[in-house]
Coordinates of all heavy atoms in Angstrom, one line a residue:
M1 N 172.3 76.0 111.0 CA 171.4 75.7 112.1 C 172.1 74.6 112.9 O 173.0 74.0 112.5 CB 170.1 75.2 111.5 CG 169.3 76.3 111.0 SD 167.6 75.8 110.6 CE 167.3 77.0 109.3
G2 N 171.5 74.3 114.1 CA 172.1 73.4 115.0 C 172.5 72.0 114.4 O 172.3 71.8 113.3
S3 N 173.1 71.2 115.2 CA 173.6 69.9 114.8 C 172.5 68.9 114.7 O 172.7 67.8 114.3 CB 174.7 69.5 115.7 OG 174.2 69.3 117.0
Q4 N 171.3 69.2 115.2 CA 170.2 68.2 115.2 C 169.7 68.0 113.7 O 169.9 68.8 112.9 CB 169.0 68.8 116.0 CG 169.5 69.2 117.4 CD 169.2 68.2 118.4 OE1 168.3 67.3 118.3 NE2 170.0 68.1 119.5
M5 N 168.9 67.0 113.5 CA 168.4 66.7 112.2 C 167.3 67.8 111.9 O 166.8 68.4 112.8 CB 167.7 65.3 112.2 CG 168.7 64.2 112.2 SD 167.9 62.6 112.0 CE 168.3 61.9 113.5
G6 N 167.0 68.0 110.6 CA 166.1 69.0 110.2 C 164.7 68.7 110.7 O 164.4 67.7 111.3
G7 N 163.8 69.7 110.5 CA 162.4 69.6 111.0 C 162.3 70.2 112.3 O 163.2 70.7 112.9
E8 N 161.0 70.3 112.8 CA 160.7 71.0 114.0 C 160.9 70.0 115.2 O 160.5 68.9 115.2 CB 159.3 71.5 114.0 CG 159.0 72.3 115.2 CD 157.7 73.1 115.1 OE1 156.9 72.9 114.2 OE2 157.5 74.0 116.0
A9 N 161.7 70.6 116.2 CA 161.9 69.8 117.4 C 160.7 70.0 118.4 O 160.0 71.0 118.3 CB 163.2 70.3 118.1
R10 N 160.6 69.0 119.2 CA 159.7 69.1 120.4 C 160.5 69.2 121.6 O 161.4 68.3 121.9 CB 158.7 67.9 120.4 CG 157.6 68.0 119.4 CD 156.5 67.0 119.6 NE 156.9 65.7 120.1 CZ 156.7 65.1 121.3 NH1 155.9 65.7 122.1 NH2 157.1 63.9 121.6
L11 N 160.2 70.2 122.4 CA 161.0 70.5 123.6 C 160.2 70.5 124.9 O 159.0 70.8 124.8 CB 161.8 71.8 123.5 CG 162.6 72.1 122.3 CD1 163.2 73.4 122.3 CD2 163.7 71.0 122.1
R12 N 160.8 70.3 126.0 CA 160.2 70.5 127.3 C 161.0 71.6 127.9 O 162.3 71.5 128.1 CB 160.2 69.3 128.2 CG 159.6 69.6 129.6 CD 159.5 68.4 130.5 NE 160.9 67.9 130.7 CZ 161.2 66.7 131.2 NH1 160.3 65.9 131.6 NH2 162.4 66.4 131.4
Y13 N 160.4 72.8 128.2 CA 161.1 74.0 128.6 C 161.2 74.0 130.1 O 160.2 73.8 130.8 CB 160.3 75.2 128.1 CG 160.2 75.3 126.6 CD1 159.1 74.8 126.0 CD2 161.3 75.7 125.9 CE1 159.0 74.8 124.6 CE2 161.2 75.7 124.5 CZ 160.1 75.3 123.9 OH 160.0 75.3 122.5
L14 N 162.5 74.1 130.6 CA 162.8 74.2 132.0 C 163.2 75.6 132.4 O 163.3 76.5 131.5 CB 163.9 73.2 132.2 CG 163.7 71.8 131.7 CD1 164.9 70.9 131.9 CD2 162.5 71.1 132.4
D15 N 163.5 75.8 133.7 CA 163.9 77.1 134.1 C 165.1 77.8 133.4 O 165.0 78.9 133.1 CB 164.1 77.1 135.6 CG 162.8 77.0 136.4 OD1 161.8 77.5 135.9 OD2 162.8 76.4 137.5
A16 N 166.1 77.0 133.2 CA 167.3 77.6 132.6 C 167.8 76.8 131.4 O 168.9 77.1 130.9 CB 168.4 77.7 133.6
D17 N 167.0 75.9 130.9 CA 167.4 75.0 129.9 C 166.2 74.3 129.3 O 165.1 74.6 129.7 CB 168.4 73.9 130.4 CG 169.3 73.3 129.3 OD1 169.2 73.7 128.1 OD2 170.0 72.4 129.6
F18 N 166.4 73.4 128.4 CA 165.3 72.7 127.8 C 165.7 71.3 127.5 O 166.9 71.0 127.3 CB 164.7 73.3 126.6 CG 165.7 73.6 125.5 CD1 166.1 72.7 124.6 CD2 166.2 75.0 125.4 CE1 167.0 73.0 123.6 CE2 167.1 75.3 124.4 CZ 167.5 74.3 123.5
D19 N 164.8 70.3 127.5 CA 165.0 68.9 127.2 C 164.5 68.7 125.8 O 163.4 69.2 125.5 CB 164.3 68.0 128.1 CG 165.0 67.9 129.5 OD1 166.2 68.2 129.6 OD2 164.3 67.5 130.4
V20 N 165.2 68.0 124.9 CA 164.7 67.7 123.6 C 163.9 66.4 123.7 O 164.4 65.3 124.1 CB 165.9 67.5 122.6 CG1 165.4 67.1 121.2 CG2 166.7 68.8 122.5
L21 N 162.6 66.5 123.4 CA 161.7 65.3 123.4 C 161.7 64.6 122.0 O 161.6 63.4 122.0 CB 160.3 65.7 123.8 CG 160.2 66.4 125.2 CD1 158.8 66.9 125.4 CD2 160.7 65.5 126.3
A22 N 161.8 65.4 121.0 CA 161.9 64.9 119.6 C 162.9 65.7 118.9 O 162.8 67.0 118.9 CB 160.6 64.9 118.9
P23 N 163.9 65.1 118.3 CA 165.0 65.9 117.6 C 164.5 66.8 116.4 O 163.5 66.4 115.8 CB 166.0 64.9 117.1 CG 165.3 63.6 117.1 CD 164.1 63.7 118.1
G24 N 165.1 67.9 116.2 CA 164.9 68.7 115.1 C 165.8 69.9 115.1 O 166.7 70.0 116.0
S25 N 165.8 70.8 114.1 CA 166.7 71.9 114.1 C 166.1 73.2 114.5 O 166.9 74.2 114.7 CB 167.2 72.0 112.7 OG 166.2 72.3 111.7
Y26 N 164.8 73.3 114.7 CA 164.2 74.5 115.1 C 162.9 74.3 115.9 O 162.4 73.2 116.0 CB 163.8 75.4 113.8 CG 162.7 74.8 113.0 CD1 161.4 75.1 113.2 CD2 163.0 73.8 112.0 CE1 160.4 74.5 112.5 CE2 162.0 73.3 111.3 CZ 160.7 73.6 111.5 OH 159.7 73.0 110.7
V27 N 162.4 75.4 116.5 CA 161.0 75.4 117.1 C 160.3 76.6 116.5 O 161.0 77.5 115.9 CB 161.1 75.5 118.6 CG1 161.6 74.2 119.2 CG2 161.9 76.7 119.1
T28 N 159.1 76.7 116.6 CA 158.3 77.8 116.1 C 157.8 78.8 117.2 O 157.2 78.4 118.2 CB 157.0 77.3 115.3 OG1 157.5 76.4 114.3 CG2 156.3 78.4 114.7
C29 N 158.1 80.1 117.0 CA 157.7 81.1 117.9 C 156.2 81.1 118.1 O 155.4 81.1 117.1 CB 158.1 82.5 117.5 SG 157.6 83.8 118.6
A30 N 155.7 81.0 119.4 CA 154.3 81.0 119.7 C 153.5 82.2 119.3 O 152.3 82.2 119.2 CB 154.1 80.7 121.2
V31 N 154.2 83.4 119.1 CA 153.6 84.6 118.8 C 153.7 84.9 117.3 O 152.7 85.3 116.7 CB 154.2 85.8 119.6 CG1 153.7 87.1 119.2 CG2 154.0 85.5 121.1
T32 N 154.9 84.8 116.7 CA 155.0 85.2 115.3 C 155.0 84.1 114.3 O 154.8 84.4 113.1 CB 156.4 85.9 115.1 OG1 157.4 84.9 115.4 CG2 156.6 87.1 116.1
G33 N 155.1 82.9 114.8 CA 155.2 81.7 113.8 C 156.5 81.6 113.1 O 156.7 80.7 112.3
Q34 N 157.5 82.4 113.5 CA 158.8 82.4 112.9 C 159.6 81.2 113.4 O 159.5 80.8 114.6 CB 159.6 83.7 113.3 CG 161.0 83.8 112.8 CD 161.6 85.1 113.1 OE1 160.9 86.1 113.5 NE2 162.9 85.2 113.0
R35 N 160.4 80.6 112.6 CA 161.2 79.4 113.0 C 162.4 80.0 113.8 O 163.1 81.0 113.4 CB 161.8 78.7 111.8 CG 160.7 77.9 111.1 CD 161.3 77.1 109.9 NE 160.2 76.3 109.3 CZ 160.5 75.5 108.3 NH1 161.7 75.3 107.8 NH2 159.5 74.7 107.8
I36 N 162.7 79.3 114.9 CA 163.9 79.7 115.7 C 164.8 78.5 115.7 O 164.5 77.4 116.3 CB 163.4 80.0 117.2 CG1 162.3 81.0 117.2 CG2 164.6 80.5 118.0 CD1 161.5 81.0 118.5
P37 N 166.0 78.6 115.2 CA 167.0 77.6 115.3 C 167.3 77.3 116.7 O 167.4 78.2 117.6 CB 168.2 78.1 114.6 CG 167.7 79.2 113.6 CD 166.5 79.8 114.4
L38 N 167.5 76.0 117.1 CA 167.7 75.6 118.5 C 168.9 76.3 119.1 O 168.9 76.7 120.3 CB 167.8 74.1 118.6 CG 166.6 73.3 118.4 CD1 166.8 71.8 118.8 CD2 165.4 73.9 119.2
D39 N 169.9 76.5 118.3 CA 171.1 77.2 118.8 C 170.9 78.7 119.0 O 171.8 79.3 119.6 CB 172.4 76.9 118.0 CG 172.2 77.3 116.5 OD1 171.1 77.8 116.1 OD2 173.2 77.2 115.8
E40 N 169.8 79.2 118.6 CA 169.5 80.6 118.8 C 168.3 80.8 119.8 O 168.0 82.0 120.1 CB 169.1 81.3 117.5 CG 170.3 81.4 116.5 CD 169.9 82.0 115.2 OE1 168.9 82.7 115.1 OE2 170.7 81.8 114.2
L41 N 167.8 79.8 120.3 CA 166.6 79.8 121.2 C 167.1 80.4 122.6 O 167.9 79.7 123.3 CB 166.0 78.5 121.4 CG 164.8 78.4 122.3 CD1 163.6 79.3 121.9 CD2 164.3 76.9 122.4
R42 N 166.5 81.5 123.0 CA 166.9 82.1 124.3 C 165.7 82.4 125.2 O 165.8 82.7 126.3 CB 167.7 83.4 124.1 CG 168.9 83.3 123.3 CD 170.1 82.6 124.0 NE 171.3 82.6 123.2 CZ 171.6 81.6 122.4 NH1 170.8 80.5 122.3 NH2 172.7 81.5 121.7
Y43 N 164.5 82.5 124.6 CA 163.3 82.9 125.3 C 162.2 81.9 125.2 O 161.9 81.5 124.1 CB 162.8 84.3 124.7 CG 163.9 85.3 124.8 CD1 164.7 85.6 123.7 CD2 164.1 86.1 125.9 CE1 165.7 86.5 123.7 CE2 165.1 87.0 126.0 CZ 165.9 87.3 124.9 OH 166.9 88.2 125.0
W44 N 161.6 81.6 126.4 CA 160.5 80.6 126.4 C 159.8 80.8 127.7 O 160.3 81.4 128.7 CB 160.9 79.2 126.2 CG 161.9 78.7 127.3 CD1 161.6 78.3 128.5 CD2 163.3 78.6 127.1 NE1 162.8 77.9 129.2 CE2 163.8 78.1 128.3 CE3 164.2 78.9 126.1 CZ2 165.2 77.8 128.5 CZ3 165.5 78.6 126.3 CH2 166.0 78.1 127.5
S45 N 158.6 80.2 127.8 CA 157.8 80.2 129.0 C 157.7 78.8 129.5 O 157.3 77.9 128.8 CB 156.4 80.7 128.8 OG 155.5 80.5 129.9
V46 N 158.2 78.6 130.8 CA 158.1 77.3 131.4 C 156.6 77.0 131.7 O 156.1 75.9 131.4 CB 158.9 77.3 132.7 CG1 158.6 76.0 133.5 CG2 160.4 77.5 132.4
D47 N 155.8 78.0 132.2 CA 154.4 77.8 132.5 C 153.6 77.4 131.3 O 152.8 76.5 131.3 CB 153.8 79.0 133.2 CG 154.4 79.3 134.5 OD1 154.9 78.3 135.2 OD2 154.4 80.4 135.0
R48 N 153.8 78.1 130.2 CA 153.0 77.9 129.0 C 153.7 76.9 128.0 O 153.0 76.4 127.0 CB 152.8 79.2 128.2 CG 151.8 80.1 128.9 CD 151.4 81.3 128.0 NE 152.5 82.3 127.9 CZ 152.7 83.2 128.8 NH1 152.0 83.3 129.9 NH2 153.6 84.1 128.6
Q49 N 154.9 76.5 128.3 CA 155.7 75.5 127.5 C 155.7 76.0 126.0 O 155.3 75.2 125.1 CB 155.1 74.1 127.6 CG 155.4 73.5 129.0 CD 156.9 73.3 129.1 OE1 157.5 72.5 128.4 NE2 157.6 74.0 130.1
E50 N 156.1 77.2 125.8 CA 156.1 77.8 124.4 C 157.4 78.7 124.2 O 157.7 79.4 125.1 CB 154.9 78.5 124.0 CG 154.4 79.6 124.9 CD 153.1 80.2 124.5 OE1 152.2 79.4 124.0 OE2 152.9 81.3 124.8
P51 N 157.9 78.6 123.0 CA 159.1 79.5 122.7 C 158.8 80.8 122.1 O 157.7 80.9 121.5 CB 159.9 78.6 121.7 CG 158.8 77.9 120.9 CD 157.7 77.7 122.0
Y52 N 159.7 81.7 122.2 CA 159.5 83.1 121.6 C 160.8 83.5 120.9 O 161.9 83.2 121.3 CB 159.2 84.1 122.7 CG 158.1 83.7 123.5 CD1 158.3 83.3 124.8 CD2 156.8 83.6 123.1 CE1 157.3 82.8 125.7 CE2 155.8 83.2 123.9 CZ 156.0 82.8 125.2 OH 155.0 82.4 126.0
V53 N 160.7 84.2 119.8 CA 161.8 84.6 119.0 C 162.6 85.7 119.7 O 163.8 85.8 119.5 CB 161.4 85.1 117.6 CG1 160.6 86.4 117.7 CG2 162.5 85.1 116.6
G54 N 162.0 86.4 120.6 CA 162.8 87.5 121.3 C 162.0 87.9 122.5 O 160.9 87.5 122.8
P55 N 162.6 88.9 123.3 CA 162.0 89.3 124.5 C 160.7 90.1 124.3 O 159.8 90.1 125.1 CB 163.0 90.2 125.2 CG 163.9 90.6 124.1 CD 163.9 89.5 123.1
E56 N 160.6 90.8 123.2 CA 159.3 91.6 122.9 C 158.1 90.6 122.8 O 157.1 91.0 123.3 CB 159.5 92.4 121.6 CG 160.6 93.4 121.7 CD 162.0 92.9 121.3 OE1 162.1 91.7 120.9 OE2 162.9 93.6 121.5
Q57 N 158.3 89.5 122.1 CA 157.2 88.6 122.0 C 156.8 87.9 123.3 O 155.7 87.7 123.5 CB 157.6 87.5 120.9 CG 157.7 88.0 119.5 CD 159.0 88.8 119.3 OE1 160.0 88.7 119.9 NE2 158.9 89.7 118.3
M58 N 157.8 87.7 124.1 CA 157.6 87.1 125.4 C 156.7 88.0 126.3 O 155.8 87.7 126.9 CB 158.9 86.8 126.1 CG 158.7 85.9 127.4 SD 160.2 85.3 128.0 CE 161.0 86.7 128.7
V59 N 157.1 89.3 126.3 CA 156.4 90.3 127.0 C 155.0 90.5 126.5 O 154.0 90.6 127.3 CB 157.1 91.7 127.0 CG1 156.3 92.8 127.6 CG2 158.4 91.6 127.8
K60 N 154.8 90.5 125.2 CA 153.5 90.7 124.6 C 152.6 89.5 125.1 O 151.4 89.7 125.4 CB 153.5 90.7 123.1 CG 154.0 92.0 122.5 CD 153.9 91.9 120.9 CE 154.4 93.2 120.3 NZ 154.3 93.1 118.8
R61 N 153.1 88.3 125.1 CA 152.3 87.1 125.5 C 152.0 87.3 127.0 O 150.8 87.0 127.4 CB 153.1 85.9 125.2 CG 152.3 84.6 125.6 CD 151.1 84.4 124.6 NE 151.4 83.3 123.8 CZ 150.7 83.1 122.7 NH1 149.7 83.9 122.3 NH2 151.0 82.1 121.9
D62 N 153.0 87.7 127.8 CA 152.7 87.9 129.3 C 151.6 88.9 129.5 O 150.8 88.8 130.5 CB 154.0 88.3 130.0 CG 155.0 87.1 130.1 OD1 154.6 86.0 130.0 OD2 156.2 87.4 130.4
L63 N 151.6 90.0 128.7 CA 150.6 91.0 128.9 C 149.3 90.7 128.2 O 148.3 91.5 128.3 CB 151.1 92.3 128.3 CG 152.4 92.9 129.0 CD1 152.8 94.2 128.3 CD2 152.0 93.2 130.5
G64 N 149.2 89.6 127.5 CA 147.9 89.2 126.9 C 147.7 89.9 125.6 O 146.6 90.0 125.1
L65 N 148.8 90.5 125.0 CA 148.7 91.2 123.7 C 148.9 90.4 122.5 O 148.8 90.9 121.4 CB 149.7 92.4 123.7 CG 149.5 93.4 124.9 CD1 150.6 94.4 124.9 CD2 148.1 94.1 124.9
A66 N 149.2 89.1 122.7 CA 149.5 88.3 121.5 C 148.9 86.9 121.8 O 148.7 86.5 122.9 CB 151.0 88.1 121.3

């Protein structure tokens, strides 16, 4: 997992990046509850300020299915 200290990070999600508000090694997918290592985080919503494990979960949330 990333070089950050263990535990869950708090992030501010931006258009093409994110800011680390509190250090950690992972965030939790807003749809599945799965831990996402920061170095693997690729999908999030700027409007909802939440991360997703993959594109399927992001689309489900956008369509109101999750």
Side-chain angles (χ1 to χ4, degrees):
M1 288 188 204
S3 61
Q4 308 263 333
M5 288 185 242
E8 187 165 10
R10 282 192 322 116
L11 307 179
R12 180 175 61 192
Y13 300 98
L14 308 172
D15 286 328
D17 201 3
F18 53 82
D19 288 334
V20 177
L21 302 176
S25 61
Y26 68 90
V27 291
T28 302
C29 177
V31 174
T32 67
Q34 180 178 343
R35 289 182 177 184
I36 309 164
L38 290 189
D39 59 353
E40 295 178 19
L41 179 61
R42 304 286 182 271
Y43 302 95
W44 60 80
S45 169
V46 173
D47 293 334
R48 287 190 287 279
Q49 288 294 294
E50 56 187 26
Y52 309 107
V53 72
E56 297 86 6
Q57 291 75 24
M58 190 168 74
V59 170
K60 281 183 180 180
R61 184 67 107 196
D62 284 344
L63 295 176
L65 302 175

